[in-house]
Structure formats: C-alpha cells, structure tokens
Amino acid sequence: MAGPLTMLSHVLKPFRNLVASRPVLATFQVNLRCNSACGYCDLPLNVGRYEMTRAEIQRVFSGLYREGVRFVLVQGGEPLLRRDLPEILEDLSAIGFHLTLITNGTKFTPQIVERLSRLPLAISVSLDTLDRETYRRIRGADQLEQVLEGIRLLRRFSHPKFLTCIVSEANRTEVQAVIRFAREQGFLPVVGAYHWNVGTYGRPDELLMYERSSAAAVFRGLLDDELMPPGYLRKFVEDNASWLSGETLESCDAGRYSVAIDASGNLSPCLAFSSVGNLLESSLNEILDRFDRGAIKICSDNSSCNRLDGRVVGTILRHPIVALRTARSFTLRGPSHESLDR
C-alpha cells in the first residue's frame, strides 16, 4: 500500500499547499550568465557565481516536489547558455514539474527546438520592440535578428509559447505592434511594466524610465483595442494599468504561493528580496520560517511586479473565471490574430 499512498500524497500535496498558503511555484535561475545587458535588469550576471550541478539541481527539486511545488519557471541569465540545460529540463520533467523556459530567444537552433519539443514544456521569449536600434538600446546588444530567427524556429512548436514585452519609455509607442506580431506568430502575448527600485529588483535607467500616466495609457490601449487574450494575461494588463494609475492591487504571491531560487540554490520570497537560506544546506520549511512576512507585505502593497510568478497563482485562486479563460487561451493559440480573440 505504500506505493499508492505515496502517489496519493503527491497528488494532494499541492492542493494542501494552496489551502495553507505554501509554495506551488518556483522561479529558478538555472544560471547567472547572459549575452544581453538589459537596462532594466539588476540581476548579478556574469560575475562567476557558483551554479549547482545537474545532480544538485535534481536533488533540490526532488525535495521541492515532495513539498508540493509543481510549477517551475526556468530562467537565467540566459538559460540556453548552459550547455546541459536540455538534460536539466528532462530531469525536472521526469520528476513531474510543469515547466516554462524563459529566454531572450537568441540561442535557439533547429536541434535545440526539436529536443525541447519532446518535453511538455512552455517557452517564453522576451521581445520589447521590432526596431533594431531600439532593441539595442533596451537590451544592450544588437541581437534582434537572432531573436526573430528563434521565433521563426518556434513557429511549429506545439506546446504553449509566450512572447513577453516589457513597457518602458523606449518602446511604449511600439507595444501594440509587438503584440500584433506575437499573435501573428502564434504566441500568447504577455505585457508588463518596467519597474525600478522594487526591493533589490529593477535597475533605474533614465532611457527607460517613464511617466506613470504615459505607461498606463499603453496598457489601457491594449485593453480598449482587445489585443490581449482572455484570462490571466488580460488580467495582468488590467493590474498594471490599475497600479500605474495609483490604485492598490491584491496581495502578491511572494513567499506564499511562489518562491525564487538562484543558480547556487539560495532561496528568497522573490527576486526583489535577498536570499535567507540555501536549499543545499537547509530544508524548504526551515527557510520559509526565516522569511520576513512584514517586509513582503509592504513590498506587495506598494508595487505591481512585472513578473508573472509574483501574482498568477493568487489571482487565479481569487478569480476562478480567469482560470477558465486562461485555459481557453492556451487551446486557441495559433498563427492567426483571430485565434486569440475574446
């Protein structure tokens, strides 16, 4: 009976976590190396920090799965700079996680796309503009053509795929064109606001910093023109418009339904907070007990994070119709604009 009981425990654990406000989602920085230099990124990139081995990652995430974590957003840095990334993703998938790979899209090859296509994996590509010079100014590298080629290679990728656009002063007049391009290519559009000085997250960049009213108008325009698919992705745009207009948002998930893990195994409530423990040395429960819940609440009450992991679980729990519409968006994705219509 031990086998069936263990299986039942694995099935029920994430639901118990939701009831107890415990993590079901983790953002994992599989490496801290990057081939871009984005103006809004404040991550400690390219400084030679220790990266867990494949075996250590497998050990850490096996433990997290037993604790009820089921969703992992795999990012960097640029995760595809890690040569053993396909093997790591295969390991995480075999454990039972639902995976999303977050990438700048510059390192795709036909071989990598074909291998990733074998996994039940979602892919999110970051693209803020279709203009080469604007791209270079935002991302600090002349890589637009590589990204567009990567998107072309993903054209027939059969699993959910997203195109994420971060609104800043440098690209706010181009956002609608990017979203239309995403839909034409069969990608679900994700649109967030550039934020600076949110805890330790978001580097101030004068070229990217905007007036809140100007940025809010961008998000309202996306809603007015019905460019966002139904469900959470539209709700995320609504939340950004509300926050930029001075409204208070519902609580975020940081340290509650979601956590962040860096390449060395350090755990924090989210990327806006410093780590308070390492999963190679301490259990998830031990580290969760060290979180400063008061500081998390203050951050949540005063910011709208432009990261999906910060609000998606709580939003869907509070708005079940959003969850149903989000699932419908996934089934209707395709190469035409009409396929994502409300």
Side-chain angles (χ1 to χ4, degrees), residues 157-186:
F157 186 77
S158 59
H159 306 301
K161 51 192 179 184
F162 305 87
L163 192 148
T164 299
C165 178
I166 301 302
V167 177
S168 69
E169 183 62 25
N171 73 329
R172 61 184 176 84
T173 62
E174 305 172 50
V175 173
Q176 291 206 2
V178 173
I179 300 315
R180 289 191 171 91
F181 172 78
R183 296 179 62 153
E184 289 166 0
Q185 301 300 314

Side-chain angles (χ1 to χ4, degrees), residues 75-339:
Q75 62 168 59
E78 170 44 50
L80 284 167
L81 290 178
R82 182 153 179 163
R83 292 186 178 182
D84 59 353
L85 180 70
E87 290 82 4
I88 291 170
L89 294 174
E90 289 164 359
D91 291 343
L92 295 177
S93 179
I95 291 170
F97 289 107
H98 302 276
L99 303 174
T100 299
L101 175 65
I102 301 173
T103 170
N104 63 22
T106 62
K107 303 298 289 184
F108 284 117
T109 65
Q111 295 76 19
I112 289 176
V113 171
E114 194 278 330
R115 188 168 180 181
L116 297 182
S117 296
R118 301 176 204 160
L119 298 173
L121 170 78
I123 291 179
S124 177
V125 176
S126 300
L127 181 65
D128 305 321
T129 176
L130 297 173
D131 179 80
R132 181 176 177 180
E133 177 55 29
T134 304
Y135 185 97
R136 187 200 61 76
R137 189 161 65 249
I138 294 173
R139 296 275 171 172
D142 186 6
Q143 297 172 324
L144 178 60
E145 291 305 314
Q146 292 96 307
V147 181
L148 296 178
E149 174 61 15
I151 289 171
R152 187 191 69 79
L153 290 173
L154 291 169
R155 178 80 173 177
R156 298 189 181 279
F157 186 77
S158 59
H159 306 301
K161 51 192 179 184
F162 305 87
L163 192 148
T164 299
C165 178
I166 301 302
V167 177
S168 69
E169 183 62 25
N171 73 329
R172 61 184 176 84
T173 62
E174 305 172 50
V175 173
Q176 291 206 2
V178 173
I179 300 315
R180 289 191 171 91
F181 172 78
R183 296 179 62 153
E184 289 166 0
Q185 301 300 314
F187 284 69
L188 290 163
V190 181
V191 189
Y194 161 52
H195 292 273
W196 57 94
N197 293 338
V198 178
T200 62
Y201 183 72
R203 182 174 64 190
D205 186 316
E206 291 185 0
L207 293 175
L208 306 181
M209 296 165 72
Y210 49 72
E211 294 291 334
R212 288 167 69 113
S213 59
S214 299
V218 174
F219 288 92
R220 287 195 297 269
L222 293 173
L223 298 170
D224 292 344
D225 291 346
E226 304 289 351
L227 287 174
M228 299 304 299
Y232 180 72
L233 300 180
R234 182 177 176 87
K235 181 68 168 62
F236 186 54
V237 168
E238 292 172 352
D239 284 349
N240 275 275
S242 297
W243 177 79
L244 288 164
S245 300
E247 299 176 25
T248 300
L249 300 182
E250 297 165 317
S251 298
C252 82
D253 299 339
R256 188 171 49 142
Y257 300 126
S258 65
V259 290
I261 304 164
D262 75 6
S264 305
N266 296 309
L267 186 78
S268 60
C270 74
L271 292 177
F273 284 83
S274 299
S275 66
V276 294
N278 188 288
L279 289 165
L280 293 172
E281 302 166 353
S282 305
S283 70
L284 175 65
N285 289 335
E286 289 172 330
I287 300 174
L288 290 178
D289 286 342
R290 301 172 194 164
F291 284 174
D292 185 339
R293 302 291 172 176
I296 295 171
K297 185 179 187 305
I298 290 171
C299 184
S300 172
D301 291 345
N302 288 280
S303 68
S304 164
C305 187
N306 61 3
R307 302 183 53 80
L308 289 183
D309 55 309
R311 296 186 182 273
V312 62
V313 177
T315 296
I316 287 176
L317 287 177
R318 288 186 291 261
H319 305 278
I321 293 178
V322 166
L324 294 173
R325 289 176 175 171
T326 301
R328 180 173 177 269
S329 294
F330 292 161
T331 62
L332 294 181
R333 73 186 185 281
S336 67
H337 179 98
E338 290 75 20
S339 65

Side-chain angles (χ1 to χ4, degrees), residues 52-66:
M52 287 188 290
T53 65
R54 177 184 173 188
E56 287 174 328
I57 292 170
Q58 195 169 30
R59 177 184 129 204
V60 163
F61 279 88
S62 293
L64 291 175
Y65 186 87
R66 290 192 295 271

